[in-house]
Amino acid sequence: MTLRLILTEIESNIKKIIAQHGFREVEFVVELAKPGFGDFTCNVAFLLAKQAGKKPYDIAQIVAEDYKKYLGNYLAKTEAHKSGYLNFHSNQKLNNLIIKASLDENFGFIDIGKKKSVIVEHTSVNPNKALHIGHIRNLVIGDIVVRILKKTNHDVKILNYVDDSGLQVADIIVGFKYGGFSEAPPNEKKFDHYCGDEVYVKTTEKYESDKQFAEYRHKVLQALEDPNSELAKFANIITRKVLAEQLKTCWKMGVYYDCLNFESQIIHSKLWDKIFEMLKKMSLVRFEKEGKNTNCWVIEAQGEEDKVLVRSNGVATYIAKDIPYAAWKLGIIDDPFYYKKYSTQPNGTMLWETTLEKNNNQKLKFSGQKVITVIDSRQTRLQKIITSLITKLKPEKDAYSHLSYESVTLSADTVKAIGHEIEGKQAQMSGRKGIYINADDVIESLEKRIFEEAKKRNTDLANDTLSKIAADVAVGTLRYEMIKQDLDKIITFDLKKSLSLEGDTCSYLQYSYARASRILEKAGSEPKFDSSFELLSTDYETNLLKMIAKFDICINDAANNLSPKVVARFCYDLAVSFNSFYEHVPVLDNDNKEIVNQRLCLVYCFKSTLERALDLLGIATPRRM
RNA sequence: GGGCUCGUUGCACAGCCAGGACAGUGCGGACGCUUGCGGAGCGUCAGGUCGAGGGUUCGAAUCCCUUCGGGCCCGCCA
C-alpha cells in the first residue's frame, strides 16, 4: 500500500457515493492537500454543483457525511471546507504505512511500461570536437529519461549515433591533410579538445580567406562516402580517437550506452535504397518534373514547403540519412548490421558497436516498439517530417517521438570571458566560431572548488576521499543544473554562477543526505522498525513523512510526461522538508528512547528515499562532503 | 512573410498538460539564529497589473481567441 493507492481508493469510494445519489460521472481529482487543509482533498463538489443545483459547500457536506462508512483504515475524518473542498484527515496508521512502504526495495517502482521495449537515442555529438556544455544537457536529459523509464518497467536500450561522415568531420580532416595540423596534439592536450579548439576552428576560419582551401572540403566529403578511400580510412581513425575521448566525458558524467551507431555504416548498408523503394511504393515521395525542385524527389511537409530528399544529381540529402535510421530503430526494415564489442564501460556494462563485417557474435537487437530521440528544439521541423513519415510506416501511436529541449546559451559575461565580442544578454554557442565552454573544463573547475570546500569542513579526510566527493558533487551539480527547469526553457550558462553551491543546487540535496547519514552514524544503534510511529506528531515530522510518500506519485508523473524536472523538484522539496525538520526537531537529544528510535527511522526513510530519487537523476550521495 | 516556442517580484524559475482554498521557491537586498545531530543550513521582513486585451466558467496564472515583446527554425548545407 502506498499513498498513491490510498488516493485511488478514496476516488473509487467517492465515485460510489456519486452514483448512489444518481449524479452523472464527473472528472474530479483526489490529491494531497496543501498544508493546513488536512491530508487529502477532493474537488468533486465544485463539479457537481451545477447538475445538483446546490452550492459546492452543501454537496461537500453530503459527500463527507456519506463517506463516514468508509473511514477507519487510514482516514480518521472527512469534512467539508466552506470553500467547497472535501478534505480528509488521516489517522496515525498513515505514519506506519508510509514508513513501511518506503522500506520496500521496490519503493517507487510502478509498472507503467509492462516491459515494453523502448529505444532512447541521445548524445549523438559530431566526432570532431569535445562535448560542450550544451551537449551535456542532451545527454543528461536522455540518461535521466532512461532511468525513469527503467524504474517504470520499460525495457530500454540506449543508442549514441556517431555522425562520422558529415561536413564537420570533413572539416577537421581537411585541417589534418591540407592545413598542416599535426595528428599529435601539443602539450598532451585531450584529443577531442585539440580537434575542436584548434583544428576545427582554425580550419573553418581559413575557408573565409582562402577560397581554394575551401574546395578541399567537398573533395573530402565526397571521399568519406567511399569506405575504401584513403581519406575515409584516415577519417575513421581520427573520428574514433575523438569518440573515445568524448565517451570519457560521458562516462565521467555517469552516462552509459548500449550501442554506438555509425552514420558511415548506415550509408554503406544501403538501407536508404530499401526505404526509398518503400516510400515510392507507398507514394509518400514524389518526383518533381517542374518548378524549383525539378528532377528532385521530395516529401510533403504539412503546411510547409516540400522538403528535398534526393537532389537532382541523385544524391540523398541530410534528412534522407535520418529516415532509414529511424526506421531501423523501430525494426521496420531488416537489420543489416552485425555487432561487436566496443568496450566494457566503467559501470561494468558492455558497449556494442555496429559493424557491416560478418561475425559470429550472437545477433543482438537494438530496435524497439517505441523510439525516443533526444535532440534540441532547433531540429523540431525536420523531426516532425520524420515523425509523420515514420507514423505512416508504423501506425502505432507515438511509436517515434522527438524529445525536444531548448538549447544552452552563454551569458554575456561568459562570452567576454572567453575572448569574444557580444551584443545583447546572451549568445548561442558555436563550435565553428569557437564560442562554447567545454564540459571537461566546467567539471574540472567545479571539482577544484568543491574539493576546497570539502577540505575546509573535513580536515580528517584523505585527499583521494576528498577527490571522490568533489567528483560526485561536481557531476551532480552539473546534472542538476541541466534538468531542474523545464525542457522548453533556455539555460543561460554563466561561468561564475555555475560555481554556486547554495540554495536550489545539487549540493543542497547532497548536504541534507550527508546530515541524515551523520545522525544515523552517531546514533550508535540501528533504528528498529517494529513500531507504530505514533510519536511522530509534529508538523515537521508529518510533512517530511508526506513528502516521502509522494515518491511514487512523482515517478508516475515524471514517466508519463518524460520529465526529469519533476524528479528534481521532488528531491528539492524532500530536502527542504528534511532540513526544516533537522533544524527544529532534535533526533538524538531526547530522554525518551522510543521517540529517538521513531525519529531515527524517519531519518533512515528520508535518507533512502532521497538516495533512490537522486539515483534517478544520476546523482551520487556521499556520506560526507 | 510563414511555423514553433517562451513571457509569473530586480534576476532565475515552480505552478499551466488534468481550471478552484492565501500565486510558491532560489539568487540578490534588510535583519536574526551555533556552550545543541555538520551554518553547503534554518528563520523573519521587503518586493507580484501572473506581457496586454477580450472570451468561456459560479470561479482563469492555468482553457480559447486576438495582440505585443524575446528566442529558434524555414537550402538541391550537415
Side-chain angles (χ1 to χ4, degrees), chain A residues 311-593:
Chain A
R311 302 180 180 93
S312 54
N313 65 3
V315 179
T317 59
Y318 165 72
I319 186 172
K321 291 179 190 172
D322 265 8
I323 294 167
Y325 182 43
W328 173 84
K329 285 191 280 189
L330 276 168
I332 293 171
I333 35 182
D334 291 339
D335 184 3
F337 298 116
Y338 296 91
Y339 298 91
K340 63 179 186 185
K341 291 175 180 176
Y342 177 83
S343 86
T344 304
Q345 302 177 98
N347 70 342
T349 61
M350 180 56 63
L351 176 57
W352 297 85
E353 63 170 289
T354 53
T355 174
L356 288 168
E357 288 165 26
K358 195 169 180 175
N359 66 33
N360 293 323
N361 291 338
Q362 66 177 120
K363 191 79 178 173
L364 296 165
K365 185 166 169 273
F366 291 108
S367 61
Q369 294 164 267
K370 185 173 159 61
V371 166
I372 296 168
T373 307
V374 184
I375 320 181
D376 78 57
S377 62
R378 288 171 296 193
Q379 298 262 21
T380 299
R381 180 177 286 252
L382 289 178
Q383 285 294 313
K384 255 188 186 168
I385 295 173
I386 291 171
T387 304
S388 94
L389 195 62
I390 291 293
T391 304
K392 283 169 186 148
L393 300 176
K394 178 157 178 157
E396 282 89 346
K397 191 172 173 286
D398 297 331
Y400 185 91
S401 63
H402 168 214
L403 185 62
S404 167
Y405 63 93
E406 269 295 345
S407 45
V408 179
T409 63
L410 298 181
S411 72
D413 287 346
T414 300
V415 173
K416 284 179 203 153
I418 57 173
H420 288 85
E421 299 287 316
I422 179 170
E423 291 172 27
K425 290 182 177 175
Q426 50 179 264
Q428 287 280 334
M429 279 187 269
S430 162
R432 194 170 48 79
K433 292 180 193 157
I435 304 175
Y436 54 82
I437 302 288
N438 281 330
D440 291 329
D441 298 341
V442 175
I443 298 170
E444 196 187 319
S445 47
L446 268 169
E447 280 180 335
K448 274 188 188 154
R449 165 90 205 282
I450 294 158
F451 184 94
E452 292 308 320
E453 293 289 333
K455 195 171 184 174
K456 268 193 274 179
R457 295 166 171 81
N458 300 278
T459 46
D460 59 320
L461 293 182
N463 276 0
D464 56 343
T465 310
L466 291 169
S467 297
K468 175 74 170 72
I469 291 167
D472 285 347
V473 179
V475 167
T477 298
L478 199 45
R479 285 179 91 104
Y480 190 68
E481 292 310 308
M482 288 296 131
I483 51 92
K484 75 176 181 190
Q485 59 286 74
D486 209 75
L487 299 182
D488 55 23
K489 285 287 206 297
I490 294 170
I491 293 177
T492 305
F493 182 85
D494 183 87
L495 274 174
K496 205 172 159 195
K497 287 181 184 158
S498 73
L499 293 175
S500 165
L501 301 172
E502 284 167 9
D504 184 6
T505 63
C506 181
S507 50
Y508 176 85
L509 310 177
Q510 291 171 316
Y511 186 68
S512 62
Y513 181 89
R515 279 178 147 181
S517 302
R518 291 294 266 179
I519 292 177
L520 291 163
E521 252 175 55
K522 293 204 167 170
S525 64
E526 295 294 310
K528 298 179 198 63
F529 288 94
D530 54 342
S531 168
S532 58
F533 303 107
E534 81 285 353
L535 298 176
L536 300 176
S537 56
T538 66
D539 284 351
Y540 298 110
E541 289 159 308
T542 51
N543 286 341
L544 180 53
L545 275 166
K546 275 195 258 177
M547 272 312 304
I548 291 170
K550 277 188 190 178
F551 187 39
D552 62 345
I553 296 171
C554 146
I555 289 177
N556 193 43
D557 193 11
N560 288 330
N561 294 303
L562 294 180
S563 177
K565 168 197 69 177
V566 171
V567 181
R569 297 297 318 169
F570 172 77
C571 289
Y572 181 72
D573 292 340
L574 183 62
V576 167
S577 291
F578 175 76
N579 278 324
S580 188
F581 159 81
Y582 179 93
E583 297 283 347
H584 298 100
V585 183
V587 175
L588 301 177
D589 186 22
N590 197 307
D591 292 335
N592 185 333
K593 288 276 187 330

Side-chain angles (χ1 to χ4, degrees), chain A residues 591-610:
Chain A
D591 292 335
N592 185 333
K593 288 276 187 330
E594 187 47 27
I595 286 190
V596 171
N597 179 58
Q598 293 190 10
R599 287 179 179 164
L600 276 176
C601 289
L602 176 58
V603 171
Y604 180 93
C605 293
F606 157 75
K607 178 176 165 255
S608 76
T609 304
L610 181 63

Side-chain angles (χ1 to χ4, degrees), chain A residues 26 44-57 59:
Chain A
V26 285
V44 68
F46 295 108
L47 303 171
L48 289 175
K50 197 162 196 176
Q51 59 164 304
K54 289 192 169 99
K55 288 178 187 166
Y57 178 59
I59 296 169

Side-chain angles (χ1 to χ4, degrees), chain A residues 121-162:
Chain A
E121 182 214 318
H122 63 75
T123 307
S124 305
V125 179
N126 286 324
N128 72 322
K129 56 171 169 284
L131 268 68
H132 63 55
I133 190 75
H135 299 124
I136 295 298
R137 189 173 191 185
N138 181 298
L139 80 228
V140 170
I141 291 168
D143 180 65
I144 294 172
V145 164
V146 167
R147 289 166 190 259
I148 292 169
L149 289 172
K150 285 183 176 171
K151 187 83 175 172
T152 49
N153 206 22
H154 294 82
D155 175 21
V156 189
K157 291 278 191 305
I158 310 146
L159 307 180
N160 181 357
Y161 183 67
V162 184

